[in-house]
Amino acid sequence: MDDAMEPMLALLVDCCRPRLSDAELAKIGERLAVADGARFALLARRHRVEGLAWRTVQRIGVVPLGLGKLGEDARHIAADGLVMAVESARVHRTFAAASIPHLFLKGQTLGVLAWDNPMLKRQLDIDLLVPGSAIGRSAALLAGLGYVQQVPEPSVDPSDWHRSRKESMWRSDDGILLDLHSRVADHSAILPTVTATVPARMVKVAGGVELPTLPERLLLPYLAVHGFSSAWFRLKWLADFAALVSRTAPAELARAAEQAPRLGAGRTLAAALVLSNRVMGTPLPAELEHDSGSRTLVKLALAALNDPREPTERAFGTLGIHRSQLLMVPGSHFFMSEAVRQLGALLTH
């Protein structure tokens, strides 16, 4: 837990930590008994960890005044999760029948791998990764499933759009959102070999549905890149990362951090392990205990996590995100090319 956090955010962080012992639960219960329930619930929604927080509250059996609505949120999240599982299965069957390689990123597959539960976290959209060469065919399949392209507008050819961008956004006739990805990061030099054609890991989610996702060796580097691409401004992302770290042997973490730069993840995995250790108390490989290259990235992430507002709700609120993206890979070449990419995205937004 970071000492600079406001008390209710620090309590929320502790409620979302993986593998809580009975003694830890008892201490959290003492704090919950005198907590500002309304503030706690507000922060849980801001960080989209309502289900995780409510799970801990239920285990403790202490429900502060103003926190009952969080239980309703958790039940709605679980019900919505069933809908998303059914829709993900429909998409999977369609793409498999068309022989288009595809992977589901984050979402319910990550819920199972991190928490053994696909229904704990709110899933606002489906993230589907396909090969860049298959964007045209994928767009046609989505249209056949009742999806309409939202970003860019429908008149723009998605294949043209994806030549310079990682994703397009689609909405089904039932209102379900789907992000179609042709790569996993905004900058083409970040994790360039993490594509839809890597050997998939099949994960069983709700109702016996199995979905393909990233293999184990690529999941932590991908989550680290995803987190620092947004400066980790949501606790949800860090909680998932910490849960996976807690299930990984320290030697494996050290090896993954060493290999991450060769995958194109830059310093993100090392920095994410430092951040997770500082905030969530997860193990940190001895090799990273004095890692100075992560200092600025971790500082930016802590500032984003500690702010009770969404980045877009305040003037220059996304500045930390842009700085985080610039620093993910060491060296001036990446810095300059990422600055050019960000400027181009701003001019064409």
Side-chain angles (χ1 to χ4, degrees), residues 220 244-245 248-258 269 273 283-285 288:
L220 283 178
L244 287 175
V245 168
T248 307
E252 288 299 317
L253 293 176
R255 186 158 37 249
E258 180 184 4
L269 183 52
L273 290 169
L284 181 67
L288 298 178

Side-chain angles (χ1 to χ4, degrees), residues 121-135:
K121 298 185 283 63
R122 189 182 301 277
Q123 185 178 355
L124 296 181
D125 53 28
I126 296 169
D127 289 284
L128 185 70
L129 176 67
V130 301
S133 59
I135 287 297

Side-chain angles (χ1 to χ4, degrees), residues 200-255:
R201 183 198 312 196
M202 299 301 296
V203 176
K204 185 176 291 186
V205 297
V209 172
E210 281 195 320
L211 301 175
T213 192
L214 290 169
E216 184 176 6
R217 69 180 182 85
L218 298 178
L219 189 52
L220 283 178
Y222 164 68
L223 293 177
V225 164
H226 177 268
F228 280 111
S229 294
S230 299
W232 298 95
F233 73 83
R234 290 201 200 287
L235 178 59
K236 175 180 76 168
W237 303 323
L238 187 57
D240 286 340
F241 182 84
L244 287 175
V245 168
S246 73
R247 295 177 171 216
T248 307
E252 288 299 317
L253 293 176
R255 186 158 37 249

Side-chain angles (χ1 to χ4, degrees), residues 91-114:
V91 171
H92 170 52
R93 288 194 300 269
T94 300
F95 276 71
S99 299
I100 295 180
H102 59 286
L103 300 174
F104 290 83
L105 304 174
K106 305 188 304 292
Q108 294 186 343
T109 56
L110 181 55
V112 171
L113 295 172

Side-chain angles (χ1 to χ4, degrees), residues 23-47:
E24 290 170 326
L25 286 170
K27 290 180 180 179
I28 292 172
E30 293 173 1
R31 292 157 63 197
L32 270 174
V34 294
D36 180 346
R39 178 65 177 169
F40 182 91
L42 180 68
L43 289 171
R45 294 186 187 104
R46 145 77 172 87
H47 287 281

